[in-house]
Amino acid sequence: MTPALALGLATLLATLLATAPAAPAVAATNTPTPPPIPALTRDSYGTKATYAPGQNARTYQRPPAGFTPVFTENVSRHGSRAATDGEDADLVLALWEKAEAAGRLTAKGREFGPKARALQNAMSTVGYGDLSGRGRREIHDTAVRMQRRLPGLFRKIAGEKEKIDVVSSGQGRAVDSANLYAAGLAQADPALKPLIGPTRTDVDLLYFHKAAGGAAYREYIAHDQRLASTLKSITDQPATHRAARDVLKKLFKGDFVDRLSDADRVAAATAVYNLYAIAPAMSDESPGGRGWGMERFMSRRDAAWFGYLSDVEDFYEKGPGFAGSDITYKMADVLLDDFFEQVEAKRAGASDLGAELRFTHAEEIIPLAALMGLPGSTQGATAERPYTYADNAWRGASVAPLGSNVQWDVFRKDGKGGNADTYLVRMLYNEKETAFKTGCHPIAKNSAFYDLDELERCFGRTDSAPGARDSLTPTP
C-alpha cells in the first residue's frame, strides 16, 4: 500500500462526514493513463488471485531416453489465506454504519454490509493472515501432483532411504503450508513419511526481504524519492478518483459520497476492493461454499483499475521495478544460489536428499521471478514509460498468485565408457513447463530440458562447487 493510501486508511474514520466541501480534483500528471481495461479477468485480483496449476500434467514432456529422475526441489508461496488484518473491513463497515444511520444506503449498499461483516467474521475465525480452507487444499493438492508427476523418483527416495528436507520462512502461514505439503506427500506415498524431516526455519533464505540481505532493499522502500513520486503520480490521477466515486456510489447515496474528501474516497474504495480481492481465497468459509458475491459491489472496470494499482505497487516495490536497477530483486540471489547448490551437491555425490521443499511469501517469489527472468518479469519501467498494462506483461495474478511455485526436476543419465553422468533440469513455474531465461539453451529446440552445465554457464556460476555463493547476473 502506498504511503498516501496508508495515511488515508488511518485517517478516514476521523473524517467520514466532514462538512467542508470536497477537495478540488487532483490535477492530471504527466503519467500516462493506462488504456481502457477489458472485462473482468483474473488479473483484477493481483497477487491475491487463487491458485490453479498452469498445465495439465498429462501434457508434460517426457525426459530423453536414458534419463531418470534423481532429485526435485521447489519454492512455494503459502496458500490462500485470510486478510492479514481487519483494517479494511473495519473501515468500510464504520462508513456503512454511518450511511445506514443517515438513511443514505443504496439497495446494493444494504446488501453489502451484512456480507462484508460475515466475511470479516469468517476471516477472524480462520485467523488474520492464516491459511483458509481453500489455501490448505491448494497446498495439499500441489504436493499430491508432485508425487504423481515423479512416481519413479519417490520410489527411489523410499527405496534408498533418502531424505526430504522441508524449510520455511518461519511465518505461520508458510510453516503451515510446509507441514501440509509434507503431509500431502506422505498421504500420496506412505513410504515417504519417515523420510520427511521436521519443518525447519531459514529466515535468510526465505524471508530475505526482512533479513540482513534485504537491508539495502528496505532503505529503498523507506526513502527512495523516485519510488515514492512514481507511485504517487500513478495512483493519484483522475482515473483513480473517478473509479473511487463509482465504487462508493454503488453502496452509498451520492450526497453522502460527495461529503467525503478525495483522499477518503480513495481510501474507502481501496478497502472495498481489498475485500473483493480476498473473498475468493475465503470461498470455503462462505455460506455453502458458494462464494461471497463481492464482485456484485464493484464494476468490472473498477475492479480492473484497482487491480492495476495493486500491481503497480508490487511491480515497483518487489518486481522488475526501474530499468537499470536491481535493488528490488538482487537480494533473491540467495534463493537462486540455493537451487543451484542443491543440484550441484546431488551431482557431486555430497547430498543424501531426494527433495528440497521451501515455503515462503510473495515478497520472495516476485523478486526471484525477476532475477530469473521468468515470463512477465523481464522488463523494467523507465521514467519516460511508467508501468502500464499496455506495454508491460507483468501481472501479479500470473507472477505470484497465492500458492505460486517454482519447481526444478533433475534427471540423470549414467555415463558410459568413463564419461561423466549427464544431468538435465526441467523447470515448472506454477506447474507449467517453462523455459529458462533468454540466453539459456535447451538440449533441443522447444525442449523443456536443460543441461546443468548450460544453466551454470547461462547464470554466470563461475564456481559450481557445493556451498559456493556466486554472484548471479541480473536478468531484466
mmCIF file of all heavy atoms in Angstrom, residues 4 10 18 20 34 47 111 158 160-161 165-166 169 172 197 220 226 235 251 253 322 331 363 405 415 454 466 469 474:
data_model
loop_
_atom_site.group_PDB
_atom_site.id
_atom_site.type_symbol
_atom_site.label_atom_id
_atom_site.label_comp_id
_atom_site.label_asym_id
_atom_site.label_seq_id
_atom_site.Cartn_x
_atom_site.Cartn_y
_atom_site.Cartn_z
ATOM 1 N N ALA A 4 0.424 7.247 0.733
ATOM 2 C CA ALA A 4 -0.769 8.095 0.685
ATOM 3 C C ALA A 4 -2.018 7.303 1.041
ATOM 4 O O ALA A 4 -2.872 7.771 1.792
ATOM 5 C CB ALA A 4 -0.912 8.705 -0.717
ATOM 6 N N ALA A 10 -5.717 5.368 7.657
ATOM 7 C CA ALA A 10 -5.526 5.690 9.073
ATOM 8 C C ALA A 10 -6.379 6.866 9.526
ATOM 9 O O ALA A 10 -6.727 6.987 10.697
ATOM 10 C CB ALA A 10 -4.051 5.997 9.332
ATOM 11 N N ALA A 18 -17.089 14.792 7.120
ATOM 12 C CA ALA A 18 -16.607 16.177 7.189
ATOM 13 C C ALA A 18 -17.575 17.094 6.451
ATOM 14 O O ALA A 18 -18.068 16.775 5.380
ATOM 15 C CB ALA A 18 -15.219 16.272 6.549
ATOM 16 N N ALA A 20 -16.852 20.147 5.433
ATOM 17 C CA ALA A 20 -16.188 21.027 4.471
ATOM 18 C C ALA A 20 -16.412 20.500 3.065
ATOM 19 O O ALA A 20 -16.575 19.306 2.851
ATOM 20 C CB ALA A 20 -14.694 21.088 4.770
ATOM 21 N N PRO A 34 -3.314 4.269 -18.176
ATOM 22 C CA PRO A 34 -3.443 3.025 -18.922
ATOM 23 C C PRO A 34 -4.701 3.047 -19.787
ATOM 24 O O PRO A 34 -5.681 3.733 -19.474
ATOM 25 C CB PRO A 34 -3.543 1.961 -17.821
ATOM 26 C CG PRO A 34 -2.842 2.580 -16.658
ATOM 27 C CD PRO A 34 -3.156 4.041 -16.744
ATOM 28 N N THR A 47 -1.989 -10.166 -6.734
ATOM 29 C CA THR A 47 -1.319 -11.293 -6.084
ATOM 30 C C THR A 47 -2.213 -12.007 -5.072
ATOM 31 O O THR A 47 -1.767 -12.966 -4.442
ATOM 32 C CB THR A 47 -0.026 -10.836 -5.389
ATOM 33 O OG1 THR A 47 -0.341 -9.823 -4.425
ATOM 34 C CG2 THR A 47 0.972 -10.290 -6.395
ATOM 35 N N GLU A 111 -27.348 -4.551 0.976
ATOM 36 C CA GLU A 111 -26.906 -5.942 0.840
ATOM 37 C C GLU A 111 -25.433 -6.104 1.227
ATOM 38 O O GLU A 111 -25.034 -7.128 1.786
ATOM 39 C CB GLU A 111 -27.120 -6.388 -0.606
ATOM 40 C CG GLU A 111 -26.694 -7.811 -0.904
ATOM 41 C CD GLU A 111 -26.801 -8.138 -2.383
ATOM 42 O OE1 GLU A 111 -27.367 -7.340 -3.151
ATOM 43 O OE2 GLU A 111 -26.284 -9.201 -2.782
ATOM 44 N N ALA A 158 12.236 -43.603 -1.410
ATOM 45 C CA ALA A 158 11.817 -44.545 -0.376
ATOM 46 C C ALA A 158 12.739 -45.759 -0.331
ATOM 47 O O ALA A 158 13.129 -46.221 0.752
ATOM 48 C CB ALA A 158 10.376 -44.992 -0.626
ATOM 49 N N GLU A 160 15.901 -46.062 -1.307
ATOM 50 C CA GLU A 160 17.279 -45.767 -0.909
ATOM 51 C C GLU A 160 17.352 -44.978 0.394
ATOM 52 O O GLU A 160 18.443 -44.577 0.813
ATOM 53 C CB GLU A 160 17.982 -45.002 -2.033
ATOM 54 C CG GLU A 160 18.075 -45.822 -3.328
ATOM 55 C CD GLU A 160 18.808 -45.100 -4.446
ATOM 56 O OE1 GLU A 160 19.395 -44.010 -4.177
ATOM 57 O OE2 GLU A 160 18.801 -45.610 -5.571
ATOM 58 N N LYS A 161 16.212 -44.745 1.007
ATOM 59 C CA LYS A 161 16.132 -44.037 2.292
ATOM 60 C C LYS A 161 16.761 -42.652 2.216
ATOM 61 O O LYS A 161 17.460 -42.199 3.135
ATOM 62 C CB LYS A 161 16.791 -44.855 3.408
ATOM 63 C CG LYS A 161 16.265 -46.275 3.553
ATOM 64 C CD LYS A 161 14.776 -46.306 3.853
ATOM 65 C CE LYS A 161 14.271 -47.731 4.036
ATOM 66 N NZ LYS A 161 12.787 -47.798 4.166
ATOM 67 N N ASP A 165 13.928 -32.722 2.739
ATOM 68 C CA ASP A 165 14.129 -31.576 3.621
ATOM 69 C C ASP A 165 13.018 -30.564 3.395
ATOM 70 O O ASP A 165 12.667 -30.254 2.249
ATOM 71 C CB ASP A 165 15.492 -30.931 3.330
ATOM 72 C CG ASP A 165 15.843 -29.841 4.323
ATOM 73 O OD1 ASP A 165 15.569 -30.028 5.522
ATOM 74 O OD2 ASP A 165 16.401 -28.800 3.896
ATOM 75 N N VAL A 166 12.449 -30.050 4.470
ATOM 76 C CA VAL A 166 11.349 -29.097 4.403
ATOM 77 C C VAL A 166 11.758 -27.857 5.191
ATOM 78 O O VAL A 166 12.133 -27.947 6.362
ATOM 79 C CB VAL A 166 10.051 -29.692 4.985
ATOM 80 C CG1 VAL A 166 8.894 -28.731 4.775
ATOM 81 C CG2 VAL A 166 9.744 -31.048 4.350
ATOM 82 N N SER A 169 9.923 -19.961 5.925
ATOM 83 C CA SER A 169 10.339 -18.640 6.397
ATOM 84 C C SER A 169 10.210 -18.501 7.907
ATOM 85 O O SER A 169 10.726 -17.563 8.496
ATOM 86 C CB SER A 169 9.473 -17.568 5.729
ATOM 87 O OG SER A 169 8.129 -17.671 6.204
ATOM 88 N N GLY A 172 3.830 -18.030 10.236
ATOM 89 C CA GLY A 172 2.803 -19.039 10.471
ATOM 90 C C GLY A 172 2.232 -19.679 9.230
ATOM 91 O O GLY A 172 2.160 -20.907 9.119
ATOM 92 N N GLY A 197 11.776 -34.787 6.978
ATOM 93 C CA GLY A 197 12.252 -34.155 8.203
ATOM 94 C C GLY A 197 11.272 -33.132 8.728
ATOM 95 O O GLY A 197 10.386 -32.655 8.012
ATOM 96 N N TYR A 220 15.585 1.359 0.287
ATOM 97 C CA TYR A 220 14.926 1.798 -0.952
ATOM 98 C C TYR A 220 13.430 2.015 -0.716
ATOM 99 O O TYR A 220 12.867 3.047 -1.104
ATOM 100 C CB TYR A 220 15.174 0.737 -2.027
ATOM 101 C CG TYR A 220 14.266 0.788 -3.227
ATOM 102 C CD1 TYR A 220 14.471 1.705 -4.254
ATOM 103 C CD2 TYR A 220 13.200 -0.123 -3.352
ATOM 104 C CE1 TYR A 220 13.642 1.729 -5.366
ATOM 105 C CE2 TYR A 220 12.376 -0.102 -4.458
ATOM 106 C CZ TYR A 220 12.594 0.821 -5.469
ATOM 107 O OH TYR A 220 11.778 0.837 -6.560
ATOM 108 N N ARG A 226 12.391 8.610 -5.930
ATOM 109 C CA ARG A 226 11.857 8.253 -7.237
ATOM 110 C C ARG A 226 10.715 7.248 -7.094
ATOM 111 O O ARG A 226 9.691 7.366 -7.764
ATOM 112 C CB ARG A 226 12.965 7.675 -8.133
ATOM 113 C CG ARG A 226 12.458 7.286 -9.515
ATOM 114 C CD ARG A 226 13.567 6.915 -10.460
ATOM 115 N NE ARG A 226 14.319 5.749 -10.038
ATOM 116 C CZ ARG A 226 15.071 5.007 -10.869
ATOM 117 N NH1 ARG A 226 15.163 5.351 -12.152
ATOM 118 N NH2 ARG A 226 15.741 3.964 -10.419
ATOM 119 N N THR A 235 -0.888 6.530 -8.917
ATOM 120 C CA THR A 235 -2.093 6.302 -8.121
ATOM 121 C C THR A 235 -2.989 7.528 -8.071
ATOM 122 O O THR A 235 -4.219 7.423 -8.205
ATOM 123 C CB THR A 235 -1.700 5.900 -6.687
ATOM 124 O OG1 THR A 235 -0.919 4.704 -6.743
ATOM 125 C CG2 THR A 235 -2.934 5.661 -5.831
ATOM 126 N N LEU A 251 -22.763 1.819 -3.321
ATOM 127 C CA LEU A 251 -23.137 1.459 -1.958
ATOM 128 C C LEU A 251 -23.860 2.572 -1.212
ATOM 129 O O LEU A 251 -24.725 2.296 -0.375
ATOM 130 C CB LEU A 251 -21.876 1.077 -1.173
ATOM 131 C CG LEU A 251 -20.965 0.020 -1.797
ATOM 132 C CD1 LEU A 251 -19.748 -0.208 -0.908
ATOM 133 C CD2 LEU A 251 -21.713 -1.274 -2.048
ATOM 134 N N LYS A 253 -25.570 6.729 -1.174
ATOM 135 C CA LYS A 253 -26.190 7.786 -1.966
ATOM 136 C C LYS A 253 -25.152 8.853 -2.314
ATOM 137 O O LYS A 253 -24.196 9.107 -1.575
ATOM 138 C CB LYS A 253 -27.352 8.411 -1.190
ATOM 139 C CG LYS A 253 -28.494 7.438 -0.898
ATOM 140 C CD LYS A 253 -29.225 7.043 -2.171
ATOM 141 C CE LYS A 253 -30.383 6.089 -1.892
ATOM 142 N NZ LYS A 253 -31.464 6.703 -1.113
ATOM 143 N N PHE A 322 12.455 -0.346 -11.656
ATOM 144 C CA PHE A 322 13.024 0.620 -12.591
ATOM 145 C C PHE A 322 14.099 -0.037 -13.448
ATOM 146 O O PHE A 322 14.996 -0.717 -12.933
ATOM 147 C CB PHE A 322 13.621 1.810 -11.840
ATOM 148 C CG PHE A 322 12.595 2.628 -11.107
ATOM 149 C CD1 PHE A 322 12.509 2.572 -9.725
ATOM 150 C CD2 PHE A 322 11.713 3.440 -11.796
ATOM 151 C CE1 PHE A 322 11.562 3.317 -9.041
ATOM 152 C CE2 PHE A 322 10.759 4.192 -11.118
ATOM 153 C CZ PHE A 322 10.684 4.131 -9.741
ATOM 154 N N MET A 331 18.456 -9.251 -4.051
ATOM 155 C CA MET A 331 18.533 -9.997 -2.799
ATOM 156 C C MET A 331 18.023 -11.423 -2.937
ATOM 157 O O MET A 331 18.301 -12.274 -2.084
ATOM 158 C CB MET A 331 17.751 -9.273 -1.705
ATOM 159 C CG MET A 331 16.292 -9.112 -2.026
ATOM 160 S SD MET A 331 15.400 -8.123 -0.798
ATOM 161 C CE MET A 331 13.854 -7.850 -1.672
ATOM 162 N N GLU A 363 6.773 -11.734 -1.251
ATOM 163 C CA GLU A 363 7.943 -10.849 -1.198
ATOM 164 C C GLU A 363 9.222 -11.558 -1.613
ATOM 165 O O GLU A 363 10.239 -10.903 -1.883
ATOM 166 C CB GLU A 363 8.099 -10.280 0.212
ATOM 167 C CG GLU A 363 7.051 -9.259 0.597
ATOM 168 C CD GLU A 363 5.772 -9.881 1.140
ATOM 169 O OE1 GLU A 363 5.638 -11.134 1.098
ATOM 170 O OE2 GLU A 363 4.896 -9.135 1.612
ATOM 171 N N ASN A 405 4.496 -21.204 -7.306
ATOM 172 C CA ASN A 405 5.671 -22.033 -7.041
ATOM 173 C C ASN A 405 6.592 -22.110 -8.241
ATOM 174 O O ASN A 405 6.170 -21.931 -9.389
ATOM 175 C CB ASN A 405 5.239 -23.444 -6.617
ATOM 176 C CG ASN A 405 4.311 -24.092 -7.616
ATOM 177 O OD1 ASN A 405 4.747 -24.624 -8.636
ATOM 178 N ND2 ASN A 405 3.001 -24.043 -7.341
ATOM 179 N N GLY A 415 26.884 -42.090 -17.209
ATOM 180 C CA GLY A 415 27.917 -42.051 -18.232
ATOM 181 C C GLY A 415 28.428 -43.440 -18.555
ATOM 182 O O GLY A 415 28.395 -44.350 -17.730
ATOM 183 N N GLU A 454 24.953 -26.133 -18.884
ATOM 184 C CA GLU A 454 24.481 -24.981 -19.654
ATOM 185 C C GLU A 454 23.809 -23.952 -18.749
ATOM 186 O O GLU A 454 24.010 -22.739 -18.911
ATOM 187 C CB GLU A 454 23.516 -25.453 -20.743
ATOM 188 C CG GLU A 454 22.674 -24.370 -21.393
ATOM 189 C CD GLU A 454 23.473 -23.285 -22.101
ATOM 190 O OE1 GLU A 454 24.696 -23.457 -22.302
ATOM 191 O OE2 GLU A 454 22.883 -22.246 -22.443
ATOM 192 N N PRO A 466 29.769 -27.276 -4.463
ATOM 193 C CA PRO A 466 28.713 -27.157 -3.450
ATOM 194 C C PRO A 466 29.118 -26.185 -2.355
ATOM 195 O O PRO A 466 30.261 -26.180 -1.891
ATOM 196 C CB PRO A 466 28.575 -28.581 -2.922
ATOM 197 C CG PRO A 466 29.070 -29.452 -4.042
ATOM 198 C CD PRO A 466 30.180 -28.661 -4.699
ATOM 199 N N ARG A 469 28.739 -19.382 -2.984
ATOM 200 C CA ARG A 469 27.731 -18.341 -3.114
ATOM 201 C C ARG A 469 28.200 -17.399 -4.218
ATOM 202 O O ARG A 469 29.033 -16.527 -4.019
ATOM 203 C CB ARG A 469 27.556 -17.570 -1.804
ATOM 204 C CG ARG A 469 26.901 -18.380 -0.706
ATOM 205 C CD ARG A 469 25.439 -18.631 -1.024
ATOM 206 N NE ARG A 469 24.772 -19.255 0.118
ATOM 207 C CZ ARG A 469 23.559 -19.790 0.043
ATOM 208 N NH1 ARG A 469 22.912 -19.805 -1.076
ATOM 209 N NH2 ARG A 469 23.018 -20.319 1.119
ATOM 210 N N PRO A 474 22.150 -10.259 -13.088
ATOM 211 C CA PRO A 474 20.774 -9.786 -13.084
ATOM 212 C C PRO A 474 20.142 -9.961 -14.463
ATOM 213 O O PRO A 474 20.811 -9.871 -15.478
ATOM 214 C CB PRO A 474 20.901 -8.297 -12.726
ATOM 215 C CG PRO A 474 22.219 -8.204 -12.025
ATOM 216 C CD PRO A 474 23.093 -9.220 -12.684
#
